[in-house]
């Protein structure tokens, strides 16, 4: 909060003649200057802004005192000054009943009207409380009435304090005798840095609901063993984090003596949540606002009692070709949280334990769908691996939400560091490809396939669930995501599977995949043509590894209605050999498809891939071949290869319905001499061009 506040702007308001200007002069000169007693001194109607140096202010934030007078300024000037003010000192004279009446009939209603107008003219989504400035009532000229030196002796002032929640305090002073003059500006600054209204209800003499919520979160974060009490060690650690000093044994006993008035404040000589809240309330009752606010700010709260942006955000640049992962420190913190809330020590978090873990957050961020996105045990409780997987998944696609949750869970205070240390940015994928290896720990795979080809079973298979277990899943809770740990070369890697449909195609630019999985149903004759079309239209010329996976391999296979087989297709387009998968209970335990996907993602260049140059030469050869065969008879349409055909025979792109027009077929034969010579010539020319360019560069 303090880093956002560059100065405390103190606006002095009140009726003419109440002593606003004299108070400022008495503070600056440390003597009373009056034009009625000194003929050579002319008291101005208003002073120019006066700066209070940071060295003599609270928390080293400079102050700026603004004098206001209707003798030289207008109503619009008043509006402008109130909008810019941090705090308003409303001055009245204790010997002038009219100046007191004006507080309730003009000044306070006017201030409220201006603030409401400012709120309405801004976005409706902002909190109205941020437009309300704290007000300090200042009763000047106590030297004229020694019998009324306390605001509690004045019924009008008492009623005002009760009626207007913005009034922080009332200070009685005298510009003439310099009594309490520095205190006026001290309390003005204090009301900005340590406001009362958001935390403490003066009328009810108790913490506000928002204050209780904030201090309850702090208590839970400091309760390291999660037993609902702060023992001496936890209390001392809390003291060190907030104030930088340890609690002496005498101070510790003094704190506990304040709580012994209620048996619920202490249990077995340890401070309970109720006792902790009672302690914070006592600080406000005794005017020690700064003590509680030091605690609040240390745990990230701004003056609106919401976590500050600095506390909940990261300042890391993530290039487009890079991904972001959790750091080792973050893994340690998440493991601590898991162990802290796994009360039954079964290595899993049930629904109640998960709710307690996220009780310090505004909401529980994980819904019912998380149980079908990550690994769980047979009772549906999230395992430690599933717990980390969900954090990894959230971080990969929504770093802002991940950072906010870590902040609410206390990462910043656990390590006394910013959230930047919770994340690491991978090197660009282009470098990974050129180096033929990547050191990233999280890989993203896009899964394509025709409807009912087994995409959901494939995703659930990553989580170790066979068809019998999948049948128990509520259809409404099925997700198109899956994330789990995969062992590869004795190294733990996390694999994210994302089922892609037509509405997800824009994800390629924001989150380019490491591997593309093309699923086809071995029992559906039209299934392979669907993924073949997707490959040819999207991935044929992209440097992204693609893998063909035939599903339901435990059933009788049916020949696909495509000119060539999946094996020939993979060989022609330089893809890895087709893999096979089944989620049946007999096949799934021995399935090795997921480690293979991690291997392909880890060493992208070691697996055959498409080439832009090859695609270019292919088109050249096709054009040359077509030109030499214009007079020959066109080939008859076929849906399968003849026994003697080459794997380089034309690849027909079939439409997915009979009433759609079939795209034109190519008529070149890559085995012909024309194609071979054309390809060889183009290759030689390209190599010569690159060699000349290299020589010139050297």
């Amino acid at each position: 909060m303090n880093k956002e506040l560059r100065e405390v702007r103190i606006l002095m308001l009140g009726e003419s003649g109440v002593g606003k200007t004299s108070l400022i002069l008495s503070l600056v000169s440390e003597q009373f200057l009056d034009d009625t007693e000194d003929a050579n001194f002319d008291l101005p109607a208003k002073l120019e802004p006066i700066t209070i140096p940071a060295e003599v202010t609270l928390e080293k934030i400079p102050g700026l005192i603004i004098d206001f007078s209707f003798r030289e300024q207008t109503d619009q000037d008043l509006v402008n000054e109130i909008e810019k003010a941090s705090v308003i000192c409303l001055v009245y004279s204790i010997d002038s009943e009219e100046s007191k009446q004006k507080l309730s009939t003009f000044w306070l209603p006017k201030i409220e009207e201006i603030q409401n107008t400012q709120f309405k003219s801004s976005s409706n989504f902002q909190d109205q409380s941020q437009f309300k400035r704290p007000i300090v009532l200042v009763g000047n000229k106590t030297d004229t009435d020694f019998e009324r030196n306390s605001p509690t002796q004045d019924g009008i002032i008492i009623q005002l304090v009760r009626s207007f929640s913005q009034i922080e305090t009332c200070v009685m002073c005298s510009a003439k005798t310099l009594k309490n003059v520095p205190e006026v500006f001290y309390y003005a600054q204090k009301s900005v840095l340590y406001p009362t209204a958001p935390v403490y209800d003066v009328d009810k003499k108790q913490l506000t609901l928002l204050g209780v919520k904030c201090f309850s979160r702090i208590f839970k974060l400091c309760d390291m063993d999660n037993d609902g009490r702060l023992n001496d060690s936890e209390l001392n650690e809390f003291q060190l984090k907030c104030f930088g000093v340890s609690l002496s044994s005498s101070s510790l006993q003094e704190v506990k003596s304040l709580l012994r008035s209620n048996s619920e404040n202490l249990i077995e000589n340890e401070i309970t949540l109720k006792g902790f809240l009672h302690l914070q309330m006592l600080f406000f009752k005794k005017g020690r606002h700064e003590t509680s606010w030091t605690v609040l700010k240390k745990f990230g709260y701004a003056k609106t009692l919401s976590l500050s942006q600095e506390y909940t955000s990261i300042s890391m640049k993530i290039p487009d070709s890079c991904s972001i992962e959790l750091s080792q420190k973050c893994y340690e913190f998440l493991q601590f949280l898991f162990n802290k809330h796994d009360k039954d020590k079964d290595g899993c978090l049930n629904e109640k334990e998960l709710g307690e873990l996220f009780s310090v957050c505004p909401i529980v961020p994980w819904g019912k769908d998380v149980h079908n996105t990550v690994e769980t045990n047979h009772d549906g409780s999230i395992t430690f691996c599933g717990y980390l997987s969900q954090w990894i998944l959230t971080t990969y696609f929504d770093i802002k939400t991940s950072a906010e949750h870590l902040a609410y869970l206390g990462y910043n205070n656990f390590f006394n560091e910013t959230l930047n240390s919770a994340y690491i940015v991978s090197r660009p994928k282009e470098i990974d490809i050129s180096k033929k290896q990547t050191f990233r720990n999280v890989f993203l795979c896009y899964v394509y396939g025709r409807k009912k080809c087994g995409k959901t079973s494939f995703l659930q298979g990553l989580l170790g669930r066979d068809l019998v277990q999948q049948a128990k899943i509520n259809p409404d809770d099925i997700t198109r995501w899956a994330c789990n740990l995969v062992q590869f070369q004795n190294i733990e890697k996390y694999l994210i599977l994302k089922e892609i449909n037509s509405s997800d195609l824009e994800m390629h630019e924001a989150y380019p995949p490491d591997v593309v999985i093309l699923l086809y149903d071995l029992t559906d004759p039209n299934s392979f043509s669907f993924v073949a079309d997707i490959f040819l239209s999207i991935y044929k010329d992209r440097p992204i590894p693609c893998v063909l996976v035939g599903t339901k391999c435990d059933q009788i296979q049916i020949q696909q209605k495509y000119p060539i087989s999946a094996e020939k297709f993979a060989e022609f387009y330089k893809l890895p050999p087709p893999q096979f998968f089944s989620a049946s209970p007999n096949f799934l335990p021995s399935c090795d498809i997921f480690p293979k996907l991690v291997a392909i993602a880890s060493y992208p260049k070691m697996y055959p891939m498409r080439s832009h140059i090859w695609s270019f030469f292919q088109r050249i050869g096709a054009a040359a071949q077509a030109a030499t065969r214009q007079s020959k008879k066109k080939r008859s349409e076929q849906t399968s290869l003849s026994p003697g055909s080459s794997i380089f025979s034309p690849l027909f792109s079939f439409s997915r319905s009979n009433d759609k027009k079939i795209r034109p077929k190519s008529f070149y034969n890559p085995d012909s001499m024309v194609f071979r010579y054309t390809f060889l010539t183009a290759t030689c020319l390209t190599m010569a061009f690159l060699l000349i360019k290299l020589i010139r560069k050297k």
Side-chain angles (χ1 to χ4, degrees):
M1 180 179 73
N2 293 347
K3 290 188 177 181
E4 299 174 359
L5 187 65
R6 296 181 179 179
E7 66 178 11
V8 177
R9 194 178 179 94
I10 305 171
L11 177 60
M12 307 293 289
L13 297 180
E15 291 298 297
S16 178
V18 295
K20 303 185 297 296
T21 305
S22 295
L23 279 170
I24 300 173
L25 289 174
S26 295
L27 176 72
V28 175
S29 63
E30 296 185 353
Q31 61 178 333
F32 180 62
L33 301 175
D34 189 7
D35 53 3
T36 61
E37 297 182 2
D38 187 352
N40 296 323
F41 176 73
D42 185 18
L43 187 67
K46 66 179 288 291
L47 297 174
E48 293 299 316
I50 302 294
T51 300
I52 305 176
E55 294 77 18
V56 297
T57 62
L58 292 168
E59 301 198 15
K60 307 302 180 183
I61 297 178
L64 188 65
I65 305 174
I66 306 298
D67 195 8
F68 183 88
S69 174
F70 270 130
R71 285 188 284 173
E72 293 187 0
Q73 293 170 283
T74 64
D75 285 342
Q76 186 57 46
D77 293 329
L78 177 63
V79 172
N80 295 338
E81 291 296 348
I82 289 178
E83 289 180 350
K84 292 186 292 184
S86 304
V87 57
I88 299 172
C89 285
L90 202 48
V91 186
Y92 68 95
S93 175
I94 66 170
D95 63 352
S96 171
E97 293 298 320
E98 182 183 358
S99 68
K100 294 179 191 177
Q101 294 294 340
K102 283 280 189 166
L103 296 177
S104 58
T105 60
F106 175 76
W107 288 108
L108 288 169
K110 186 69 174 177
I111 293 170
E112 189 172 11
E113 176 189 344
I114 293 171
Q115 291 174 156
N116 290 337
T117 302
Q118 184 184 7
F119 170 69
K120 291 177 182 178
S121 62
S122 64
S123 172
N124 292 330
F125 296 100
Q126 297 189 43
D127 185 4
Q128 188 173 4
S129 62
Q130 66 180 306
F131 297 100
K132 293 189 175 183
R133 280 70 177 168
I135 297 173
V136 176
L137 292 182
V138 181
N140 193 22
K141 302 184 181 182
T142 57
D143 55 285
T144 63
D145 190 345
F146 295 102
E147 294 182 357
R148 289 194 293 176
N149 286 333
S150 172
T152 59
Q153 296 175 319
D154 196 318
I156 296 177
I157 300 303
I158 292 175
Q159 185 60 35
L160 285 178
V161 172
R162 290 176 177 174
S163 302
F164 291 87
S165 60
Q166 287 178 250
I167 298 177
E168 289 283 329
T169 188
C170 181
V171 182
M172 309 299 285
C173 65
S174 172
K176 187 173 184 178
T177 63
L178 306 184
K179 177 185 177 181
N180 289 341
V181 171
E183 282 73 8
V184 170
F185 301 96
Y186 169 80
Y187 282 108
Q189 285 189 311
K190 187 175 179 180
S191 66
V192 176
L193 300 174
Y194 317 120
T196 303
V199 188
Y200 184 71
D201 190 323
V202 178
D203 293 336
K204 297 180 180 179
K205 296 183 179 181
Q206 64 184 24
L207 296 176
T208 62
L209 292 177
L210 191 54
V212 170
K213 184 177 180 180
C214 295
F215 284 119
S216 296
R217 168 181 172 264
I218 294 171
F219 178 87
K220 291 178 180 179
L221 295 183
C222 295
D223 182 14
M224 307 298 282
D225 56 9
N226 200 28
D227 64 348
R229 304 192 296 260
L230 295 183
N231 56 41
D232 292 354
S233 176
E234 292 168 339
L235 200 59
N236 191 56
E237 186 66 25
F238 164 77
Q239 177 77 8
L240 276 172
K241 284 182 179 180
C242 296
F243 305 101
V245 293
S246 301
L247 269 177
S248 63
S249 57
S250 59
S251 299
L252 188 59
Q253 294 306 318
E254 183 181 349
V255 169
K256 291 183 178 180
S257 65
L258 294 173
L259 302 175
R260 286 197 172 94
S261 58
N262 190 328
S263 59
E264 295 182 354
N265 294 337
L266 291 172
I267 295 179
E268 296 180 0
N269 206 32
E270 295 179 350
I271 299 177
T272 63
L273 173 59
K274 189 169 184 178
F276 185 76
L277 296 176
H278 181 74
L279 196 61
Q280 303 306 321
M281 183 182 66
L282 290 178
F283 288 139
F284 276 91
K285 279 186 175 181
K286 295 183 178 182
R288 293 174 58 184
H289 303 48
E290 63 276 10
T291 302
S292 291
W293 268 108
T294 300
V295 173
L296 288 167
K297 288 185 286 185
K298 188 64 179 178
F299 283 85
Y301 289 101
K303 63 181 180 180
T304 56
L305 289 189
S306 59
L307 293 187
S308 64
Q309 184 177 0
E310 177 190 0
Y311 188 84
T312 60
S313 60
I314 61 173
S315 56
M316 301 172 66
K317 292 184 178 179
I318 307 173
D320 292 338
S321 59
C322 300
S323 60
I324 191 162
E325 299 179 6
L326 301 177
S327 67
Q328 185 60 37
K329 274 192 173 182
C330 191
Y331 281 119
E332 292 174 8
F333 175 69
L334 293 175
Q335 184 171 9
F336 163 77
L337 286 181
F338 186 92
N339 295 335
K340 175 181 176 180
H341 292 277
D342 182 18
K343 289 188 174 182
D344 53 11
K345 304 304 177 185
D346 62 346
C348 300
L349 293 180
N350 56 42
E351 188 174 350
K352 182 180 179 181
E353 292 170 338
L354 195 64
E356 290 179 354
L357 189 151
F358 286 113
S359 63
V360 294
C361 299
I363 59 172
V364 177
W366 299 354
K368 291 183 178 180
D369 57 345
V370 70
H371 297 86
N372 300 315
T373 305
V374 298
E375 182 185 76
T376 61
N377 66 2
H378 60 281
D379 293 327
S381 299
I382 298 177
T383 64
F384 179 65
C385 179
Y387 165 79
L388 289 181
S389 298
Q390 183 62 28
W391 275 105
I392 288 168
L393 185 62
T394 303
T395 301
Y396 198 98
F397 291 99
D398 193 351
I399 181 63
K400 181 180 178 181
T401 300
S402 173
E404 287 180 355
H405 292 161
L406 282 179
Y408 273 104
L409 291 167
Y411 177 90
N412 313 53
N413 300 97
F414 188 82
F415 289 110
N416 198 25
E417 296 179 359
T418 65
L419 288 172
N420 285 354
S421 65
Y423 303 101
I424 54 175
V425 178
S426 69
R427 68 184 182 183
K429 291 186 178 181
E430 294 82 0
I431 297 179
D432 287 344
I433 294 176
S434 65
K435 298 290 184 181
K436 301 182 180 180
Q437 186 177 9
T438 181
F439 297 101
R440 290 184 294 121
N441 295 313
V442 181
F443 298 116
L444 173 63
C445 298
Y446 285 169
V447 180
Y448 290 89
R450 193 177 183 183
K451 190 175 182 180
K452 296 184 178 181
C453 73
K455 297 188 294 294
T456 299
S457 294
F458 187 76
L459 267 63
Q460 292 298 313
L462 176 63
L463 307 180
R465 296 173 185 152
D466 56 35
L467 293 176
V468 176
Q469 295 168 313
Q470 293 177 28
K472 301 176 183 178
I473 300 176
N474 186 340
D476 296 333
D477 296 333
I478 292 178
T479 66
R480 296 190 294 119
W481 299 89
C483 181
N484 202 4
L485 178 70
V486 177
Q487 292 283 348
F488 171 67
Q489 294 183 347
N490 296 323
I491 301 175
E492 295 182 345
K493 302 287 186 179
Y494 283 88
L495 191 64
I496 299 175
L497 300 182
K498 172 69 172 80
E499 180 186 333
I500 299 295
N501 55 31
S502 57
S503 62
D504 299 321
L505 296 180
E506 295 180 357
M507 290 184 64
H508 280 278
E509 302 301 327
Y511 306 101
D514 298 292
V515 179
V516 171
I517 303 167
L518 303 171
L519 293 185
Y520 64 99
D521 185 354
L522 295 171
T523 66
D524 180 2
N526 299 311
S527 185
F528 182 75
S529 62
F530 180 87
V531 292
D533 270 355
I534 289 175
F535 172 81
L536 294 173
S537 61
I538 301 177
Y539 294 105
K540 183 166 68 72
D541 295 322
R542 292 195 182 195
I544 301 174
C546 296
V547 181
L548 296 170
V549 178
T551 62
K552 306 178 185 179
C553 63
D554 58 320
Q555 301 180 29
I556 299 176
Q557 300 183 22
I558 298 178
Q559 184 177 1
Q560 298 291 318
K561 292 182 179 179
Y562 201 73
I564 58 176
S565 66
E567 290 77 9
K568 297 291 185 182
F569 187 92
E571 184 180 353
F572 177 71
Y573 285 106
K574 309 297 183 182
L575 302 178
Q579 303 298 309
F580 301 98
F581 173 82
S582 173
S584 65
N586 296 329
F587 186 88
L588 185 60
S590 61
C591 180
D592 61 349
I593 179 63
F594 302 114
K596 288 180 179 178
L597 295 176
V598 171
I600 294 174
S602 299
Y603 302 98
K605 265 296 187 183
M606 293 183 65
Y607 289 83
M609 294 174 59
R610 278 81 57 219
S611 168
H612 293 283
I613 296 176
W614 168 253
S615 179
F616 171 71
F617 292 155
Q618 215 176 27
R619 288 193 292 271
I620 292 178
Q625 180 72 1
T628 60
R629 303 186 62 178
Q630 286 182 357
S631 59
K632 294 185 177 182
K633 185 179 180 180
K634 296 182 180 180
R635 300 187 181 191
S636 60
E637 296 182 1
Q638 299 177 353
T639 58
S640 61
L641 290 176
S642 59
S645 298
S646 164
I647 63 169
F648 294 103
S649 297
L651 296 179
F652 302 144
S653 298
F654 289 94
S655 62
R656 286 185 287 275
S657 60
N658 296 330
D659 49 340
K660 293 182 181 178
K661 293 183 178 179
I662 299 178
R663 285 188 288 237
K665 308 175 182 61
S666 58
F667 301 100
Y668 67 91
N669 180 10
D671 285 339
S672 69
M673 294 300 295
V674 174
F675 178 86
R676 290 182 178 182
Y677 282 125
T678 304
F679 180 84
L680 181 61
T681 303
T683 303
C684 293
L685 290 174
T686 302
M687 292 178 64
F689 172 76
L690 294 175
L691 182 61
I692 294 171
K693 188 175 181 181
L694 181 63
I695 294 172
R696 288 181 177 178
K697 185 176 182 181
K698 289 185 176 181

